[in-house]
Amino acid sequence: MDGSAADGSAADGARLPPPRAGSRLCVRCGERKAALKRPKTLEQICRECFYIVFEDEIHQTIVENSLFKAGERVAIGASGGKDSTVLAYVLSELNRRHNYGLDLFLLSVDEGITGYRDDSLETVKRNEIQYGLPLKIVSYKDLYGWTMDDIVKAIGLKNNCTFCGVFRRQALDRGAALLKADKIVTGHNADDIAETVLLNILRGDIARLSRCTLITTGEDGPIPRCKPFKYTYEKEIVMYAYFKKLDYFSTECIYSPNAYRGFAREFIKDLERMRPRAILDIIKSGENFRISTTTRMPEQGTCGRCGYISSQKLCKACVLLDGLNRGLPKLGIGRTKAGAGADSDGKQRAKRTERNTLSLQGKHGNFDF
Amino acid sequence: MHLTLEFGGGLELLLENSTKVHKVEVPPKDGQATVTMRGLLTWVKDSLIKERPEMFVKGDSVRPGVLVLINDCDWELCGGLDAELEEKDVVVFISTLHGG
Ligand SMILES: [Zn+2]
Ligand SMILES: [Zn+2]
Ligand SMILES: [Zn+2]
């Protein structure tokens, strides 16, 4: 077939108009009309073939990296956003299709952000029913005694993502522990990881740089986390959700003023438009950086107060909570531990150590979790 | 030209009442017979977008990270900005940039 039915206008006029929607055939099956151009391969494929390759690639990633073992309980970090919604859908599909033998759960964190999280939690509650996955919600209020709304009232809009990031990471771990989960999976996609690689380079954060491309992290901690979407493009995740009519929530966190990260994201998207491979190449660059032996990695211990993993006496969440509860909310943020001096080495080091204890994956807004 | 425009992934927030689906009548540019995607983007920016147009357009195209589908087909397969629209086409814009 030539698809000319949809091409009525092509006949008149000397200049051949650009090909109309539906006038090209899928390069994979050669039968159906192509529906999208894959950013990873630039192939034009139809909807049905897209579902197959999209799901198969994730399955391959799971198998090649031995992400799961049969019988494991896996908590899916579910925010109601596109990435975790597609992850929940695809993972339950693959679990059935390939007999992974996993017990899957949805795990959501309620930060207590009026008009943002309460709406997105409604989405997760619908997903619970749609995908038949049990849902556990843990709240900042229950865990820490503070909602994000309370915290923002106390500290203002600056730095609130520090709180959110640190608290969310712990909240996920605690929720996963309540579910007796063996693993947490998050919806971080290839674009997210490329962005994080860039940010870590821009910050000179070598320790993070080497960790941020790992598909599984925290194997030495209480509950390992993995990213089955490590090689999955955001464009394809959104296309998949659109074609499958998956129910997701898409509003920015009202408290996410992280301009620096936003800038890195914009840059990644600009690069992608010029050369879509750039995203995978940045990840590859990140993977190929090796830590020199002179870079000291922080030692892992546990928090003296709550028992959470920490390289300091108190974990970051407990330091932040201390500040909040004592009316000194700036405690634990930025340079409080460093001397008041200018750009001395000491300050640089202090800042770096502190950043190491912060969660890489906990930034609000651009990231699922 | 009658078109149906759909906005998703958070782009609807830039429109009046956050309405997702808009049935619109878009006039071709002077002296032209058809509406191209380039022309449609200008029209949307001038006639529909109520706030933060920079979330929708960048330069003469959509902001990178905004997906466009013409009759459920990726516009990258249809000629992108040069795609010529036809009567009753459905054009969908989805932002991928809003986290969750
Ligand atoms: Zn096909
Ligand atoms: Zn935040
Ligand atoms: Zn602690």
Side-chain angles (χ1 to χ4, degrees):
Chain A
M1 67 172 277
D2 60 13
S4 59
D7 260 335
S9 63
D12 33 47
R15 187 179 67 94
L16 208 64
R20 279 282 303 174
S23 61
R24 299 187 188 195
L25 286 182
C26 169
V27 296
R28 194 172 172 276
C29 66
E31 284 174 13
R32 290 174 293 255
K33 291 168 184 173
L36 85 154
K37 188 163 161 188
R38 298 199 70 199
K40 211 184 265 192
T41 59
L42 305 181
E43 288 169 312
Q44 310 161 16
I45 54 173
C46 70
R47 222 190 257 214
E48 287 76 7
C49 289
F50 170 55
Y51 296 154
I52 294 170
V53 294
F54 180 89
E55 292 160 7
D56 269 3
E57 283 182 8
I58 294 159
H59 172 61
Q60 289 309 324
T61 302
I62 289 171
V63 171
E64 280 165 20
N65 296 280
S66 317
L67 293 190
F68 309 117
K69 289 202 264 306
E72 280 184 332
R73 295 167 67 86
V74 176
I76 303 167
S79 65
K82 57 186 163 54
D83 300 306
S84 59
T85 299
V86 173
L87 181 61
Y89 178 88
V90 170
L91 207 50
S92 46
E93 202 61 33
L94 293 176
N95 189 31
R96 254 191 305 272
R97 188 180 304 159
H98 299 287
N99 299 312
Y100 290 165
L102 303 177
D103 271 327
L104 298 175
F105 302 86
L106 297 172
L107 172 58
S108 291
V109 177
D110 182 358
E111 298 95 337
I113 305 175
T114 312
Y116 169 70
R117 192 47 95 205
D118 39 358
D119 288 354
S120 57
L121 283 175
E122 287 311 309
T123 311
V124 183
K125 286 175 192 163
R126 286 196 299 276
N127 292 160
E128 175 183 24
I129 299 162
Q130 289 155 349
Y131 309 152
L133 300 174
L135 165 66
K136 171 88 197 161
I137 299 175
V138 287
S139 75
Y140 282 8
K141 185 76 184 169
D142 290 347
L143 291 177
Y144 310 114
W146 290 76
T147 65
M148 266 316 281
D149 287 343
D150 296 337
I151 292 171
V152 169
K153 259 182 225 138
I155 68 164
L157 278 176
K158 221 180 155 202
N159 292 324
N160 66 78
C161 279
T162 303
F163 283 88
C164 222
V166 172
F167 285 179
R168 190 189 291 118
R169 182 174 184 81
Q170 265 202 31
L172 264 190
D173 277 339
R174 292 183 192 280
L178 290 172
L179 286 169
K180 298 192 172 56
D182 301 294
K183 233 155 239 174
I184 298 171
V185 291
T186 58
H188 293 100
N189 59 45
D191 300 49
D192 294 331
I193 294 169
E195 175 191 286
T196 307
V197 168
L198 267 188
L199 282 172
N200 285 329
I201 291 172
L202 295 175
R203 290 168 178 150
D205 195 335
I206 302 303
R208 286 268 177 73
L209 178 59
S210 68
R211 253 183 300 146
C212 73
T213 55
L214 295 176
I215 194 160
T216 302
T217 53
E219 281 168 302
D220 50 340
I223 301 171
R225 294 179 176 222
C226 59
K227 310 177 186 111
F229 282 171
K230 178 180 172 186
Y231 301 108
T232 309
Y233 275 60
E234 188 159 65
K235 172 179 173 181
E236 296 201 348
I237 291 172
V238 174
M239 283 287 192
Y240 187 89
Y242 173 76
F243 287 142
K244 290 256 180 188
K245 304 211 180 330
L246 300 185
D247 180 8
Y248 71 90
F249 179 81
S250 50
T251 303
E252 278 168 301
C253 168
I254 49 175
Y255 298 141
S256 75
N258 196 331
Y260 203 53
R261 186 173 278 278
F263 184 79
R265 185 55 146 221
E266 183 108 11
F267 180 62
I268 297 267
K269 289 294 179 190
D270 285 345
L271 285 179
E272 182 190 17
R273 175 164 288 178
M274 289 180 274
R275 203 175 65 91
R277 282 275 323 173
I279 289 178
L280 285 183
D281 289 344
I282 292 172
I283 296 177
K284 191 151 192 277
S285 299
E287 285 172 339
N288 289 328
F289 275 105
R290 293 273 180 273
I291 295 192
S292 74
T293 46
T294 53
T295 311
R296 241 185 48 227
M297 300 294 285
E299 278 170 42
Q300 290 288 13
T302 52
C303 170
R305 185 168 303 161
C306 73
Y308 190 76
I309 43 159
S310 171
S311 51
Q312 312 284 324
K313 221 160 50 197
L314 289 184
C315 77
K316 192 77 191 172
C318 284
V319 172
L320 291 173
L321 267 178
D322 241 14
L324 279 173
N325 292 329
R326 285 162 52 194
L328 302 166
K330 297 260 156 57
L331 203 67
I333 293 177
R335 62 194 67 184
T336 39
K337 278 185 192 160
D343 263 323
S344 67
D345 276 348
K347 183 174 143 194
Q348 290 291 343
R349 226 182 348 262
K351 279 165 96 175
R352 201 165 302 135
T353 318
E354 195 153 306
R355 275 200 305 267
N356 284 339
T357 66
L358 277 175
S359 155
L360 221 203
Q361 294 146 4
K363 296 292 189 226
H364 215 115
N366 291 316
F367 269 28
D368 238 294
F369 277 102
Chain B
M1 179 174 290
H2 289 87
L3 298 172
T4 301
L5 309 181
E6 260 181 69
F7 297 84
L11 283 177
E12 66 276 15
L13 302 172
L14 309 179
L15 305 168
E16 191 147 41
N17 302 324
S18 300
T19 308
K20 288 194 172 185
V21 180
H22 296 250
K23 303 231 178 237
V24 297
E25 173 71 38
V26 181
K29 266 204 196 137
D30 295 338
Q32 286 177 10
T34 56
V35 177
T36 61
M37 275 305 299
R38 184 178 279 106
L40 177 66
L41 290 182
T42 310
W43 185 87
V44 168
K45 189 180 153 216
D46 295 341
S47 313
L48 280 186
I49 303 281
K50 297 288 171 208
E51 54 175 296
R52 290 181 292 162
E54 70 278 5
M55 301 290 289
F56 181 66
V57 285
K58 183 171 180 178
D60 67 346
S61 190
V62 290
R63 181 179 176 196
V66 173
L67 305 182
V68 185
L69 296 104
I70 305 170
N71 300 328
D72 272 357
C73 177
D74 189 349
W75 79 326
E76 292 183 42
L77 298 181
C78 314
L81 283 169
D82 296 320
E84 291 185 357
L85 297 167
E86 290 173 15
E87 189 68 17
K88 296 204 168 64
D89 273 350
V90 179
V91 183
V92 177
F93 301 96
I94 312 171
S95 174
T96 64
L97 298 166
H98 291 76

Short mmCIF file of all heavy atoms in Angstrom, two decimals, chain A residues 303 306 315 318, ligand 3:
data_model
loop_
_atom_site.label_atom_id
_atom_site.label_comp_id
_atom_site.label_asym_id
_atom_site.label_seq_id
_atom_site.Cartn_x
_atom_site.Cartn_y
_atom_site.Cartn_z
N CYS A 303 22.81 6.70 61.58
CA CYS A 303 22.44 7.88 62.35
C CYS A 303 22.26 7.50 63.82
O CYS A 303 21.60 6.51 64.14
CB CYS A 303 21.15 8.46 61.79
SG CYS A 303 20.42 9.75 62.80
N CYS A 306 18.15 8.06 64.62
CA CYS A 306 17.05 7.28 64.02
C CYS A 306 17.52 5.99 63.37
O CYS A 306 16.71 5.18 62.95
CB CYS A 306 16.29 8.14 63.00
SG CYS A 306 17.20 8.41 61.47
N CYS A 315 21.91 11.73 60.74
CA CYS A 315 21.60 11.74 59.31
C CYS A 315 21.09 13.12 58.93
O CYS A 315 20.70 13.92 59.77
CB CYS A 315 20.58 10.66 58.96
SG CYS A 315 18.88 11.05 59.41
N CYS A 318 17.67 14.13 60.23
CA CYS A 318 17.63 14.48 61.65
C CYS A 318 18.23 15.87 61.89
O CYS A 318 17.74 16.62 62.73
CB CYS A 318 18.34 13.42 62.49
SG CYS A 318 17.33 11.91 62.68
ZN ZN C 3 18.48 10.27 61.65
#
